Amino acid sequence: MRLGFIAMLVVGIIASLLLADYLFASQFNITKKLTDNHASWGLIGWISLVIMGVSFQVLPMFHVAPAFPLWCSRFLPGFLFMVLLTHTLVTLGMTQLALINIPAWQMIQSICTTLLKLGLMVYAITAIHCLNRRKRKINDVSVTCWFIALCCLFLCCVISLVMNVMTNTMTGTESGLLSLGWSPLTLASVFIYGWIISVIMAMIIKIIPFLAYLHLQRQCGFHMQAFSLLPNMHELLSKSRMQYLLYSHVFSLFTLIITLYNPANYWLLSLAIMGQFGYLLFLMVSVSGRYRGKAKAIDKALLLP
């Protein structure tokens, strides 16, 4: 989590340099080379490291999964952070010393990007393995969202590695991939919606009813009559409603992929996203309403002699 916070600061610093370069007529020429680093620090250094840190605690706690291996939880985030830092320093050094066209420095950059993708793939495989070994083998929408997120993370890294290898070894491959719709922007879009948004969905549908239940439980104290009014978490947010949210998320992800190949379908993607997050807002308001109703009933029970 600390590394994620530091990465967030780096994202802010690079963004400030890019903004200064735009406002002051390119007096900071090095910043144009930092655009990719800005995206990497944001998507991998900030968000992905925070998700990894959260998953080390949440998956064993909410889903009764075994703890992550020590090498993964202790060393993998630091490894990714150091590789990101090395890549940024190499980019700055290449720009400052005019070493952009020197193969050795380009190889160092390629090694760093490859290590980042391999590190994320290792995390995805490890997390999927831990989820598969969970003790509660029940159908859970939150677990399904985690699986979707981890699969999207793994596939994005694999496809990106294959694209890099094909581009470097086969002439004309880059234009062919672009004609098929595969580009860094395509992978970044799937990375954001398939990996990051899927994790957000998984966390929200678990945390919101859990926090509502926890507050109601504390409100009851040791009063047995009030305790009888305490709902379970599925009364606060039913499985069927969570399932509908999952369907809407999968549909949005599917329409995103279609739109990336055929931008004319943007209207369908817009409707899908509006429907998904509108339904999510409805669920949050519903849980809040049920919470307030139960809290009032418990308050009345606590006043009884």
PDB file of all heavy atoms in Angstrom, residues 123-141:
ATOM      1  N   TYR A 123       1.531 -12.759 -10.590  1.00  0.00           N
ATOM      2  CA  TYR A 123       0.541 -12.418  -9.569  1.00  0.00           C
ATOM      3  C   TYR A 123      -0.835 -12.964  -9.932  1.00  0.00           C
ATOM      4  O   TYR A 123      -1.537 -13.517  -9.077  1.00  0.00           O
ATOM      5  CB  TYR A 123       0.452 -10.901  -9.392  1.00  0.00           C
ATOM      6  CG  TYR A 123      -0.796 -10.478  -8.662  1.00  0.00           C
ATOM      7  CD1 TYR A 123      -0.913 -10.657  -7.287  1.00  0.00           C
ATOM      8  CD2 TYR A 123      -1.891  -9.950  -9.354  1.00  0.00           C
ATOM      9  CE1 TYR A 123      -2.074 -10.303  -6.618  1.00  0.00           C
ATOM     10  CE2 TYR A 123      -3.041  -9.588  -8.691  1.00  0.00           C
ATOM     11  CZ  TYR A 123      -3.126  -9.773  -7.325  1.00  0.00           C
ATOM     12  OH  TYR A 123      -4.289  -9.437  -6.675  1.00  0.00           O
ATOM     13  N   ALA A 124      -1.238 -12.805 -11.201  1.00  0.00           N
ATOM     14  CA  ALA A 124      -2.565 -13.270 -11.627  1.00  0.00           C
ATOM     15  C   ALA A 124      -2.692 -14.780 -11.430  1.00  0.00           C
ATOM     16  O   ALA A 124      -3.711 -15.267 -10.908  1.00  0.00           O
ATOM     17  CB  ALA A 124      -2.805 -12.895 -13.089  1.00  0.00           C
ATOM     18  N   ILE A 125      -1.672 -15.522 -11.822  1.00  0.00           N
ATOM     19  CA  ILE A 125      -1.715 -16.986 -11.669  1.00  0.00           C
ATOM     20  C   ILE A 125      -1.767 -17.366 -10.196  1.00  0.00           C
ATOM     21  O   ILE A 125      -2.529 -18.254  -9.789  1.00  0.00           O
ATOM     22  CB  ILE A 125      -0.490 -17.621 -12.354  1.00  0.00           C
ATOM     23  CG1 ILE A 125      -0.573 -17.423 -13.867  1.00  0.00           C
ATOM     24  CG2 ILE A 125      -0.394 -19.112 -12.024  1.00  0.00           C
ATOM     25  CD1 ILE A 125       0.674 -17.845 -14.607  1.00  0.00           C
ATOM     26  N   THR A 126      -0.980 -16.684  -9.365  1.00  0.00           N
ATOM     27  CA  THR A 126      -0.958 -16.984  -7.930  1.00  0.00           C
ATOM     28  C   THR A 126      -2.304 -16.689  -7.285  1.00  0.00           C
ATOM     29  O   THR A 126      -2.812 -17.474  -6.475  1.00  0.00           O
ATOM     30  CB  THR A 126       0.148 -16.160  -7.235  1.00  0.00           C
ATOM     31  OG1 THR A 126       1.396 -16.385  -7.891  1.00  0.00           O
ATOM     32  CG2 THR A 126       0.277 -16.556  -5.775  1.00  0.00           C
ATOM     33  N   ALA A 127      -2.905 -15.548  -7.643  1.00  0.00           N
ATOM     34  CA  ALA A 127      -4.204 -15.188  -7.066  1.00  0.00           C
ATOM     35  C   ALA A 127      -5.291 -16.175  -7.497  1.00  0.00           C
ATOM     36  O   ALA A 127      -6.147 -16.565  -6.695  1.00  0.00           O
ATOM     37  CB  ALA A 127      -4.569 -13.767  -7.477  1.00  0.00           C
ATOM     38  N   ILE A 128      -5.279 -16.577  -8.777  1.00  0.00           N
ATOM     39  CA  ILE A 128      -6.261 -17.560  -9.248  1.00  0.00           C
ATOM     40  C   ILE A 128      -6.082 -18.884  -8.507  1.00  0.00           C
ATOM     41  O   ILE A 128      -7.068 -19.533  -8.112  1.00  0.00           O
ATOM     42  CB  ILE A 128      -6.118 -17.758 -10.766  1.00  0.00           C
ATOM     43  CG1 ILE A 128      -6.598 -16.503 -11.508  1.00  0.00           C
ATOM     44  CG2 ILE A 128      -6.912 -18.976 -11.243  1.00  0.00           C
ATOM     45  CD1 ILE A 128      -6.343 -16.538 -13.000  1.00  0.00           C
ATOM     46  N   HIS A 129      -4.836 -19.273  -8.290  1.00  0.00           N
ATOM     47  CA  HIS A 129      -4.561 -20.518  -7.548  1.00  0.00           C
ATOM     48  C   HIS A 129      -5.096 -20.435  -6.118  1.00  0.00           C
ATOM     49  O   HIS A 129      -5.704 -21.390  -5.617  1.00  0.00           O
ATOM     50  CB  HIS A 129      -3.057 -20.780  -7.553  1.00  0.00           C
ATOM     51  CG  HIS A 129      -2.649 -22.008  -6.795  1.00  0.00           C
ATOM     52  ND1 HIS A 129      -3.001 -23.286  -7.191  1.00  0.00           N
ATOM     53  CD2 HIS A 129      -1.925 -22.158  -5.644  1.00  0.00           C
ATOM     54  CE1 HIS A 129      -2.509 -24.169  -6.336  1.00  0.00           C
ATOM     55  NE2 HIS A 129      -1.867 -23.512  -5.394  1.00  0.00           N
ATOM     56  N   CYS A 130      -4.894 -19.286  -5.475  1.00  0.00           N
ATOM     57  CA  CYS A 130      -5.401 -19.122  -4.100  1.00  0.00           C
ATOM     58  C   CYS A 130      -6.930 -19.168  -4.073  1.00  0.00           C
ATOM     59  O   CYS A 130      -7.522 -19.780  -3.171  1.00  0.00           O
ATOM     60  CB  CYS A 130      -4.893 -17.803  -3.512  1.00  0.00           C
ATOM     61  SG  CYS A 130      -3.133 -17.781  -3.122  1.00  0.00           S
ATOM     62  N   LEU A 131      -7.580 -18.516  -5.039  1.00  0.00           N
ATOM     63  CA  LEU A 131      -9.046 -18.541  -5.083  1.00  0.00           C
ATOM     64  C   LEU A 131      -9.580 -19.950  -5.344  1.00  0.00           C
ATOM     65  O   LEU A 131     -10.618 -20.341  -4.800  1.00  0.00           O
ATOM     66  CB  LEU A 131      -9.554 -17.581  -6.156  1.00  0.00           C
ATOM     67  CG  LEU A 131      -9.611 -16.092  -5.776  1.00  0.00           C
ATOM     68  CD1 LEU A 131     -10.012 -15.256  -6.978  1.00  0.00           C
ATOM     69  CD2 LEU A 131     -10.571 -15.860  -4.625  1.00  0.00           C
ATOM     70  N   ASN A 132      -8.883 -20.708  -6.176  1.00  0.00           N
ATOM     71  CA  ASN A 132      -9.318 -22.077  -6.453  1.00  0.00           C
ATOM     72  C   ASN A 132      -9.182 -22.983  -5.231  1.00  0.00           C
ATOM     73  O   ASN A 132      -9.884 -23.997  -5.135  1.00  0.00           O
ATOM     74  CB  ASN A 132      -8.516 -22.668  -7.613  1.00  0.00           C
ATOM     75  CG  ASN A 132      -9.009 -22.187  -8.964  1.00  0.00           C
ATOM     76  OD1 ASN A 132     -10.197 -21.932  -9.133  1.00  0.00           O
ATOM     77  ND2 ASN A 132      -8.112 -22.058  -9.915  1.00  0.00           N
ATOM     78  N   ARG A 133      -8.326 -22.603  -4.303  1.00  0.00           N
ATOM     79  CA  ARG A 133      -8.111 -23.409  -3.093  1.00  0.00           C
ATOM     80  C   ARG A 133      -8.913 -22.894  -1.899  1.00  0.00           C
ATOM     81  O   ARG A 133      -8.678 -23.339  -0.767  1.00  0.00           O
ATOM     82  CB  ARG A 133      -6.618 -23.423  -2.733  1.00  0.00           C
ATOM     83  CG  ARG A 133      -5.735 -24.151  -3.736  1.00  0.00           C
ATOM     84  CD  ARG A 133      -4.275 -24.009  -3.376  1.00  0.00           C
ATOM     85  NE  ARG A 133      -4.027 -24.473  -2.004  1.00  0.00           N
ATOM     86  CZ  ARG A 133      -3.053 -24.014  -1.220  1.00  0.00           C
ATOM     87  NH1 ARG A 133      -2.270 -23.043  -1.647  1.00  0.00           N
ATOM     88  NH2 ARG A 133      -2.890 -24.492  -0.016  1.00  0.00           N
ATOM     89  N   ARG A 134      -9.865 -21.985  -2.149  1.00  0.00           N
ATOM     90  CA  ARG A 134     -10.651 -21.446  -1.038  1.00  0.00           C
ATOM     91  C   ARG A 134     -11.495 -22.560  -0.412  1.00  0.00           C
ATOM     92  O   ARG A 134     -11.907 -23.509  -1.093  1.00  0.00           O
ATOM     93  CB  ARG A 134     -11.530 -20.290  -1.517  1.00  0.00           C
ATOM     94  CG  ARG A 134     -12.644 -20.667  -2.459  1.00  0.00           C
ATOM     95  CD  ARG A 134     -13.281 -19.431  -3.075  1.00  0.00           C
ATOM     96  NE  ARG A 134     -14.480 -19.757  -3.833  1.00  0.00           N
ATOM     97  CZ  ARG A 134     -14.471 -20.211  -5.071  1.00  0.00           C
ATOM     98  NH1 ARG A 134     -13.314 -20.385  -5.690  1.00  0.00           N
ATOM     99  NH2 ARG A 134     -15.595 -20.490  -5.691  1.00  0.00           N
ATOM    100  N   LYS A 135     -11.798 -22.415   0.872  1.00  0.00           N
ATOM    101  CA  LYS A 135     -12.517 -23.452   1.600  1.00  0.00           C
ATOM    102  C   LYS A 135     -14.017 -23.423   1.316  1.00  0.00           C
ATOM    103  O   LYS A 135     -14.669 -24.457   1.344  1.00  0.00           O
ATOM    104  CB  LYS A 135     -12.264 -23.303   3.104  1.00  0.00           C
ATOM    105  CG  LYS A 135     -10.821 -23.554   3.503  1.00  0.00           C
ATOM    106  CD  LYS A 135     -10.619 -23.409   4.992  1.00  0.00           C
ATOM    107  CE  LYS A 135      -9.170 -23.663   5.378  1.00  0.00           C
ATOM    108  NZ  LYS A 135      -8.950 -23.508   6.845  1.00  0.00           N
ATOM    109  N   ARG A 136     -14.572 -22.246   1.053  1.00  0.00           N
ATOM    110  CA  ARG A 136     -16.004 -22.113   0.781  1.00  0.00           C
ATOM    111  C   ARG A 136     -16.243 -22.176  -0.718  1.00  0.00           C
ATOM    112  O   ARG A 136     -16.187 -21.179  -1.418  1.00  0.00           O
ATOM    113  CB  ARG A 136     -16.536 -20.797   1.355  1.00  0.00           C
ATOM    114  CG  ARG A 136     -16.495 -20.724   2.865  1.00  0.00           C
ATOM    115  CD  ARG A 136     -16.858 -19.339   3.345  1.00  0.00           C
ATOM    116  NE  ARG A 136     -18.161 -18.911   2.868  1.00  0.00           N
ATOM    117  CZ  ARG A 136     -18.616 -17.667   2.941  1.00  0.00           C
ATOM    118  NH1 ARG A 136     -17.826 -16.716   3.447  1.00  0.00           N
ATOM    119  NH2 ARG A 136     -19.813 -17.351   2.508  1.00  0.00           N
ATOM    120  N   LYS A 137     -16.493 -23.378  -1.231  1.00  0.00           N
ATOM    121  CA  LYS A 137     -16.694 -23.580  -2.666  1.00  0.00           C
ATOM    122  C   LYS A 137     -18.153 -23.312  -3.031  1.00  0.00           C
ATOM    123  O   LYS A 137     -18.910 -24.214  -3.389  1.00  0.00           O
ATOM    124  CB  LYS A 137     -16.309 -25.007  -3.056  1.00  0.00           C
ATOM    125  CG  LYS A 137     -14.870 -25.371  -2.779  1.00  0.00           C
ATOM    126  CD  LYS A 137     -13.937 -24.753  -3.814  1.00  0.00           C
ATOM    127  CE  LYS A 137     -12.515 -25.249  -3.621  1.00  0.00           C
ATOM    128  NZ  LYS A 137     -11.590 -24.763  -4.653  1.00  0.00           N
ATOM    129  N   ILE A 138     -18.563 -22.062  -2.907  1.00  0.00           N
ATOM    130  CA  ILE A 138     -19.934 -21.691  -3.235  1.00  0.00           C
ATOM    131  C   ILE A 138     -19.902 -20.665  -4.365  1.00  0.00           C
ATOM    132  O   ILE A 138     -18.893 -19.993  -4.599  1.00  0.00           O
ATOM    133  CB  ILE A 138     -20.665 -21.096  -2.009  1.00  0.00           C
ATOM    134  CG1 ILE A 138     -19.915 -19.854  -1.486  1.00  0.00           C
ATOM    135  CG2 ILE A 138     -20.810 -22.139  -0.914  1.00  0.00           C
ATOM    136  CD1 ILE A 138     -20.625 -19.147  -0.359  1.00  0.00           C
ATOM    137  N   ASN A 139     -21.028 -20.592  -5.081  1.00  0.00           N
ATOM    138  CA  ASN A 139     -21.136 -19.601  -6.154  1.00  0.00           C
ATOM    139  C   ASN A 139     -21.223 -18.206  -5.551  1.00  0.00           C
ATOM    140  O   ASN A 139     -22.130 -17.911  -4.780  1.00  0.00           O
ATOM    141  CB  ASN A 139     -22.362 -19.878  -7.019  1.00  0.00           C
ATOM    142  CG  ASN A 139     -22.222 -21.162  -7.820  1.00  0.00           C
ATOM    143  OD1 ASN A 139     -21.111 -21.515  -8.213  1.00  0.00           O
ATOM    144  ND2 ASN A 139     -23.322 -21.848  -8.055  1.00  0.00           N
ATOM    145  N   ASP A 140     -20.273 -17.380  -5.881  1.00  0.00           N
ATOM    146  CA  ASP A 140     -20.194 -16.044  -5.310  1.00  0.00           C
ATOM    147  C   ASP A 140     -19.887 -15.067  -6.438  1.00  0.00           C
ATOM    148  O   ASP A 140     -18.899 -15.240  -7.166  1.00  0.00           O
ATOM    149  CB  ASP A 140     -19.108 -15.990  -4.234  1.00  0.00           C
ATOM    150  CG  ASP A 140     -19.177 -14.723  -3.399  1.00  0.00           C
ATOM    151  OD1 ASP A 140     -19.490 -13.657  -3.954  1.00  0.00           O
ATOM    152  OD2 ASP A 140     -18.922 -14.806  -2.181  1.00  0.00           O
ATOM    153  N   VAL A 141     -20.722 -14.055  -6.582  1.00  0.00           N
ATOM    154  CA  VAL A 141     -20.528 -13.063  -7.638  1.00  0.00           C
ATOM    155  C   VAL A 141     -19.203 -12.334  -7.459  1.00  0.00           C
ATOM    156  O   VAL A 141     -18.498 -12.047  -8.438  1.00  0.00           O
ATOM    157  CB  VAL A 141     -21.704 -12.066  -7.649  1.00  0.00           C
ATOM    158  CG1 VAL A 141     -21.437 -10.920  -8.620  1.00  0.00           C
ATOM    159  CG2 VAL A 141     -22.996 -12.771  -8.015  1.00  0.00           C
TER     160      VAL A 141
END
